Amino acid sequence: MSQYSTDPAPTSAVATVARRRDWWRDAVIYQVYPRSFADSNGDGMGDLEGVRSRLPYLRDLGVDAVWLSPFYASPQADAGYDVADYRAVDPMFGSLLDADALIRDAHGHGLRIIVDLVPNHSSDQHEWFKRAVAEGPGSPLRDRYHFRPGKGKHGELPPSDWESIFGGPAWTRVPDGEWYLHLFAPEQPDFNWEHPAVGDEFRSILRFWLDMGVDGFRIDVAHGLVKAEGLPDLGAHDQLKLLGNDVMPFFDQDGVHEIYRQWRRILDEYAGERIFVAEAWTPTVERTANYVRPDELHQAFNFQYLGTDWDAKELRTVIDRTLDAMRPVGAPATWVLSNHDVTRHATRFANPPGLGTQIREAGDRELGLRRARAATLLMLALPGSAYIYQGEELGLPDVVDLPDEVRQDPAYFRGAGQDGFRDGCRVPIPWTRTGSSYGFGSGGSWLPQPEGWGELSVQAQEGVAGSTLELYRAALAVRRTQPDLGAGEAVEWLKAPEGVLAFRRGEFVCVANTGGESVTTPGYGRLLLASGEVSEADGEVKVPADTTVWWTTAS
């Protein structure tokens, strides 16, 4: 397997990747959901070789790094987030040789590779858990998970009142009478991070993939590893409403930070500026900042921003709070609009505000796309790093009318908890106007693609002036060439009409009109890019509703 830092014959692109300092502070990172990106063997499921074949597309798009959702050996009870073997590739995605080739080729294209790490829980088919169940109460393997006797006269009640994120109790009883904790699906038992073997194992897993050459890790459920002592009752109904709004006995416990300090010391042993990115649902951006202190992780997803409506006042509030929270710890802010767990923003913004991040209606698609394009230019203008979810550069909406019989989201079948409609943002993306699965692969797709999907494809948009794909390409190109874009700690807010955000960063100016009517603003210099049609006259610019404009004051 390759050692990234000692590649015997690096290309110029690899060399550039290896020596760029602090690349992660302003990186644009593209999330690939492997099963839905590209299928190389015609089995209807995306795979690593498919991703590898599309690396030139990602290079030309202009991103800096690729984050791969899990491709490890797994029974796929939760789309690979139930890992049975952290050092093996699931055959549905390929092999370790395919992973090695993908990493090498990505570096050859000047792209970095970030892989998902799932340390909160394993699959119930993980060898540790299978042995723990088989060996019964008192088995040393049970201490690596959270096994407990039940409450009630005969132990027939769960050990605590904790609820699963996917709905129902967070406890499942095994035949010998004990219960085990799973904050997600029953097929995903939680590790007990108080047991030293768990920490030892994950430090080894980190080194395995670092030695393979990966450039970093996205840490799944980074806020969940440590539970409150004694696993106390929460004493609350409808616990899901508290998620991200309060510190809970199973989330955002202070003990997680010592784990990440240990991990950071490992990462710093490796050349090439490898990074950690936290998926940390916390009550406030201030608590999120705890995960990115100088001796811990590098970035944390900004879920407060992702959940903000298309509203100038709300956006300004979360932008200011984010930048204020990150400044004391010296970490970059991150900005994200969509991912594999939420409704795509082209659909969210097509619906009335206040519905959250799981929406079941298509809404006004033209309005949603217009707002999505404007929101993207706003996001890419902010200081820090940005994340793009596959297909958003095509303006893809959620597929909200999938038949019940094709759905695979485990939350859908639990009957409570999350809405269970995450399948809608995971439908395989279209590459061509026609053909089997619109170019995804030669054998159909694991989730059905809607009629007309080809008109949103890469082929349909490539080279077409004004298309969403070309807007993304142009925005990322401008972002690279404008010295005042990318990393930074602050924005200078400018006076603007109600419903409009306007700010300056050095010689760069961004204006975003979130309102329903056109507004007239000063011309701030040379127009760089706009998400929609604008008109200039007599030193003023008419900015239509739901439009973002970039200027430079440089000559």
Side-chain angles (χ1 to χ4, degrees):
M1 299 304 174
S2 65
Q3 286 276 0
Y4 172 37
S5 59
T6 58
D7 191 315
T11 65
S12 59
V14 172
T16 299
V17 166
R19 67 173 175 260
R20 185 183 169 203
R21 300 293 300 172
D22 290 342
W23 65 273
W24 44 276
R25 289 190 172 275
D26 62 358
V28 177
I29 300 173
Y30 186 99
Q31 181 189 357
V32 165
Y33 196 65
R35 59 174 53 212
S36 298
F37 193 65
D39 172 18
S40 71
N41 59 7
D43 66 355
M45 185 68 64
D47 46 47
L48 295 183
E49 183 58 30
V51 178
R52 183 185 175 200
S53 72
R54 298 294 187 178
L55 289 173
Y57 167 80
L58 298 176
R59 175 201 62 205
D60 294 345
L61 183 62
V63 300
D64 300 290
V66 179
W67 153 34
L68 298 168
S69 293
F71 51 81
Y72 311 111
S74 166
Q76 304 296 321
D78 184 22
Y81 282 94
D82 50 317
V83 181
D85 187 342
Y86 290 85
R87 297 177 183 84
V89 173
D90 195 284
M92 69 188 294
F93 296 123
S95 67
L96 278 176
L97 290 176
D98 293 322
D100 183 67
L102 172 57
I103 295 166
R104 285 178 177 270
D105 277 14
H107 291 161
H109 288 295
L111 297 167
R112 298 175 187 263
I113 292 291
I114 296 169
V115 297
D116 234 308
L117 187 68
V118 188
N120 179 72
H121 48 263
S122 74
S123 165
D124 63 352
Q125 297 305 301
H126 190 286
E127 191 60 31
W128 283 6
F129 190 78
K130 289 195 296 183
R131 286 178 53 195
V133 173
E135 293 174 9
S139 164
L141 268 297
R142 291 207 171 187
D143 291 339
R144 299 181 186 184
Y145 295 90
H146 294 280
F147 279 87
R148 296 287 188 277
K151 294 180 178 179
K153 185 176 181 180
H154 303 290
E156 71 278 9
L157 301 176
S160 77
D161 65 358
W162 294 1
E163 296 175 2
S164 163
I165 307 305
F166 290 163
W171 296 91
T172 289
R173 199 176 193 186
V174 295
D176 58 47
E178 286 198 329
W179 299 72
Y180 68 88
L181 177 68
H182 53 87
L183 291 180
F184 295 88
E187 296 88 351
Q188 295 169 290
D190 280 46
F191 284 116
N192 175 16
W193 272 86
E194 300 297 325
H195 196 291
V198 177
D200 290 345
E201 172 69 354
F202 273 91
R203 287 189 291 272
S204 174
I205 292 166
L206 288 175
R207 292 187 185 279
F208 178 87
W209 288 103
L210 289 167
D211 290 342
M212 281 274 287
V214 303
D215 300 285
F217 301 88
R218 177 263 192 187
I219 304 169
D220 184 59
V221 196
H223 53 298
L225 277 55
V226 172
K227 278 68 174 175
E229 185 176 358
L231 311 183
D233 283 345
L234 188 56
H237 298 289
D238 204 359
Q239 296 174 14
L240 290 176
K241 289 187 177 179
L242 302 179
L243 292 179
N245 296 308
D246 201 357
V247 177
M248 306 176 78
F250 45 78
F251 279 161
D252 198 27
Q253 295 291 304
D254 290 338
V256 299
H257 299 291
E258 180 53 36
I259 295 170
Y260 299 137
R261 293 186 188 102
Q262 294 177 19
W263 287 12
R264 179 62 179 265
R265 290 193 287 270
I266 292 174
L267 209 67
D268 288 347
E269 296 173 11
Y270 287 79
E273 289 204 275
R274 323 293 178 95
I275 70 165
F276 286 121
V277 183
E279 182 206 29
W281 290 89
T282 66
T284 64
V285 289
E286 289 78 13
R287 286 198 66 88
T288 300
N290 291 336
Y291 290 79
V292 289
R293 289 176 285 202
D295 60 345
E296 294 189 43
L297 310 178
H298 297 77
Q299 294 183 350
F301 289 131
N302 190 343
F303 292 115
Q304 284 80 10
Y305 186 77
L306 184 152
T308 302
D309 290 324
W310 181 239
D311 176 87
K313 184 177 180 180
E314 292 182 25
L315 286 164
R316 178 167 174 171
T317 297
V318 74
I319 290 167
D320 281 340
R321 287 194 64 182
T322 297
L323 295 174
D324 289 346
M326 296 299 132
R327 195 174 298 115
V329 295
T334 66
W335 314 100
V336 60
L337 292 166
S338 289
N339 65 34
H340 65 291
D341 281 333
V342 301
T343 300
R344 289 181 178 275
H345 60 286
T347 296
R348 291 205 315 276
F349 294 154
N351 282 271
L355 296 181
T357 58
Q358 294 290 349
I359 295 172
R360 306 180 188 184
E361 301 295 333
D364 184 338
R365 289 186 173 176
E366 182 178 340
L367 174 65
L369 179 59
R370 188 166 66 246
R371 289 176 171 175
R373 288 162 56 96
T376 294
L377 287 198
L378 172 61
M379 174 183 77
L380 292 174
L382 294 171
S385 179
Y387 282 78
I388 295 172
Y389 177 51
Q390 65 176 45
E392 72 171 73
E393 77 278 13
L394 305 176
L396 295 187
D398 252 43
V399 181
V400 298
D401 55 355
L402 288 170
D404 292 352
E405 60 269 18
V406 305
R407 294 189 178 276
Q408 299 194 28
D409 184 353
Y412 182 77
F413 301 100
R414 297 277 284 179
Q418 291 184 348
D419 287 336
F421 282 80
R422 296 180 298 172
D423 293 316
C425 65
R426 300 175 177 183
V427 173
I429 67 174
W431 294 93
T432 58
R433 286 183 182 271
T434 59
S436 175
S437 64
Y438 304 106
F440 169 68
S442 60
S445 61
W446 68 282
L447 283 173
Q449 299 158 304
E451 186 178 351
W453 209 229
E455 293 308 307
L456 299 174
S457 67
V458 173
Q459 184 183 56
Q461 298 192 44
E462 202 157 31
V464 177
S467 71
T468 302
L469 174 59
E470 294 302 335
L471 176 69
Y472 269 72
R473 286 178 173 174
L476 293 178
V478 170
R479 198 175 191 271
R480 284 180 180 272
T481 58
Q482 289 295 310
D484 294 312
L485 286 177
E489 294 183 347
V491 299
E492 176 192 349
W493 293 108
L494 304 175
K495 185 177 180 180
E498 185 177 355
V500 176
L501 290 172
F503 61 85
R504 183 189 305 276
R505 298 183 61 198
E507 295 179 324
F508 172 85
V509 175
C510 176
V511 171
N513 180 9
T514 71
E517 303 291 338
S518 296
V519 297
T520 299
T521 72
Y524 289 100
R526 177 166 56 89
L527 184 67
L528 292 171
L529 195 62
S531 65
E533 294 290 333
V534 299
S535 56
E536 298 180 274
D538 300 324
E540 294 183 327
V541 177
K542 186 175 182 180
V543 181
D546 303 313
T547 302
T548 298
V549 187
W550 289 359
W551 285 275
T552 179
T553 60
S555 58

